Amino acid sequence: MLMKITFTQQRRVRLAQGLWLMSWLAVMSGAFIFCLGVYLKTELLRRAEVMDNTEIHVVPNILMMVGLVSIGTNWVATRVCQDSLDASRFPRWKLLLMVWFAVAMLLCCLLLAVVVLSYALQGRLEESLKVGLRNGIRFYKDTDVPGRCFQKETIDRLQMEFRCCGNNNFKDWFEVQWVSNRYLDFTSKDVKDRIRSNVDGRYLLDGVPFSCCNPASPRPCLQYHLTDNSAHYSYDYQAEELNLYSRGCRQALTDYYMEMMNSTGPGVLSVILIQMSVLVSLRYLQTAVEGATALEDPEGESVGYLLEKGVKETFEDVKANVLNILKFAQVDPSAAEGSPGAEDAEKPADNTTEKAASPTPSPAS
């Protein structure tokens, strides 16, 4: 037996009581994990318009699923603890506990996967934001197009909330027409010249929307003619630090979400520790109570253990059981139809029998 411990009746009772409290703690931890997933999912959905795909949503989806299953699983553990004090009621949990241990191990593995995915999906999150923000900036002017009428408000609120400008930086606004044609005076010489000077016929500006302006700057906001030093007094585009947000929104959002997901790591690891403690304690309680029942002395000493055999032997037994189940599930074609070789072997035997049964003709007299 692996890691066996001797339990008296009093120690079994204390173990059951402590495990009952720990199981309720695990229930609350499951609720915490579920709420964490809901919060992260909500934050991702708030910025869905500036994301190209939803691959990162796998993290909150797993958290919500694991949280709900953990609540139910650990509630069952509290009932097992109560019934462990009654020798007549505990045996009914024997088969269900095997399933419980498998589910508890799966929950721990899924929580570990969440921690790994939180770091591994950073590149996918950045790429999703890069494409989504690029499209958002391109459709900024389409305030009268169905499905895009709120794009301007979304980008403006995003830039003001996260104190950022553009996708990579404020120069991204120089490459798109962000002023709608309905607000352009096509009789103006300046408008005509700008449109003619562009191959695609777009009205491009070396300017940015008002939401890029940094209110902490002492100088009034400069939105237009940012690359023209002569357009503003005491201004140098190359040397002077502009009164715009210098950080791009892609980096700002990536930092925000990664900080949020990375901060969940310690909490998730703590929940894994609690769940593993419940799993190990319940295994000791199960084997200790079953041992006392087998000795027909519910109040006597018994041995609790994690594994009845060594790790290698237990793995081999589980492997053999799984193979037997798979073999049992397979259909044996020889059972339904006789093999051709067997039929051929029967035919000569039948012929020999017929010859032996037929009478030998007597010679003519």
Side-chain angles (χ1 to χ4, degrees):
M1 298 180 182
L2 183 63
M3 299 181 66
K4 61 179 181 179
I5 301 176
T6 302
F7 289 90
T8 61
Q9 171 65 7
Q10 186 178 7
R11 292 187 68 181
R12 288 197 297 269
V13 171
R14 289 180 179 177
L15 176 61
Q17 293 173 343
L19 181 57
W20 183 83
L21 293 174
M22 192 180 299
S23 297
W24 278 114
L25 178 61
V27 169
M28 291 186 288
S29 299
F32 165 74
I33 289 294
F34 175 76
C35 293
L36 192 63
V38 171
Y39 173 71
L40 183 56
K41 182 79 171 181
T42 303
E43 287 297 308
L44 289 172
L45 289 176
R46 285 182 61 194
R47 316 296 173 195
E49 294 183 3
V50 293
M51 290 187 181
D52 182 55
N53 58 63
T54 58
E55 291 182 6
I56 192 65
H57 287 241
V58 68
V59 174
N61 290 343
I62 293 177
L63 286 175
M64 290 189 292
M65 180 189 67
V66 170
L68 288 176
V69 176
S70 179
I71 292 173
T73 300
N74 290 291
W75 178 82
V76 171
T78 62
R79 299 300 303 272
V80 174
C81 294
Q82 293 175 341
D83 289 350
S84 66
L85 303 178
D86 189 345
S88 62
R89 299 174 62 183
F90 187 76
R92 65 178 180 175
W93 295 102
K94 184 174 182 179
L95 294 178
L96 184 60
L97 280 177
M98 294 296 103
V99 179
W100 188 96
F101 288 129
V103 172
M105 287 296 297
L106 179 60
L107 291 180
C108 293
C109 293
L110 288 175
L111 288 175
L112 282 175
V114 166
V115 176
V116 174
L117 287 173
S118 297
Y119 294 93
L121 290 177
Q122 180 175 356
R124 303 297 300 172
L125 175 63
E126 289 184 3
E127 185 63 25
S128 175
L129 288 170
K130 178 182 178 181
V131 177
L133 285 168
R134 184 175 61 200
N135 293 333
I137 292 174
R138 187 175 59 176
F139 301 141
Y140 180 87
K141 68 180 187 301
D142 297 337
T143 53
D144 53 351
V145 177
R148 301 176 187 169
C149 52
F150 294 104
Q151 195 70 49
K152 176 183 179 299
E153 180 182 358
T154 299
I155 296 297
D156 283 335
R157 290 186 180 276
L158 176 70
Q159 294 189 143
M160 290 187 290
E161 180 181 352
F162 288 91
R163 303 176 68 85
C164 59
C165 184
N167 192 343
N168 298 310
N169 52 56
F170 67 91
K171 295 180 182 179
D172 293 326
W173 290 104
F174 299 173
E175 302 173 0
V176 297
Q177 178 180 338
W178 54 271
V179 179
S180 176
N181 288 337
R182 63 188 297 188
Y183 302 114
L184 294 177
D185 181 10
F186 287 95
T187 62
S188 170
K189 182 178 182 302
D190 179 65
V191 174
K192 291 180 180 179
D193 291 343
R194 285 185 179 275
I195 294 177
R196 289 170 182 171
S197 63
N198 184 262
V199 176
D200 299 327
R202 295 179 298 170
Y203 181 74
L204 300 183
L205 292 171
D206 55 343
V208 295
F210 77 97
S211 54
C212 282
C213 294
N214 185 357
S217 173
R219 182 168 187 166
C221 184
L222 301 178
Q223 291 181 245
Y224 303 102
H225 306 291
L226 297 177
T227 59
D228 186 1
N229 292 335
S230 61
H232 308 285
Y233 176 73
S234 184
Y235 175 77
D236 187 353
Y237 168 67
Q238 298 294 338
E240 185 172 351
E241 190 171 320
L242 303 180
N243 55 356
L244 307 174
Y245 295 126
S246 58
R247 185 172 61 160
C249 290
R250 174 164 61 94
Q251 187 61 45
L253 283 172
T254 300
D255 293 343
Y256 173 72
Y257 283 120
M258 291 310 300
E259 181 180 357
M260 183 188 303
M261 287 191 287
N262 293 343
S263 63
T264 64
V268 172
L269 292 176
S270 300
V271 173
I272 294 175
L273 181 62
I274 294 173
Q275 188 65 59
M276 289 299 297
S277 300
V278 172
L279 190 151
V280 172
S281 300
L282 187 56
R283 177 58 177 169
Y284 273 118
L285 181 63
Q286 177 200 16
T287 53
V289 173
E290 289 179 352
T293 304
L295 296 174
E296 298 182 355
D297 185 11
E299 297 184 358
E301 291 186 353
S302 61
V303 176
Y305 52 86
L306 292 180
L307 298 176
E308 188 174 2
K309 301 177 182 179
V311 177
K312 185 177 180 180
E313 292 80 0
T314 303
F315 176 77
E316 293 294 335
D317 289 345
V318 172
K319 181 180 178 181
N321 291 332
V322 172
L323 291 177
N324 288 334
I325 293 174
L326 295 176
K327 185 183 296 185
F328 180 77
Q330 292 178 351
V331 179
D332 188 2
S334 62
E337 299 178 0
S339 61
E343 293 180 358
D344 294 341
E346 289 177 359
K347 288 181 181 180
D350 293 341
N351 294 336
T352 305
T353 304
E354 291 177 0
K355 289 181 181 179
S358 60
T360 304
S362 57
S365 52

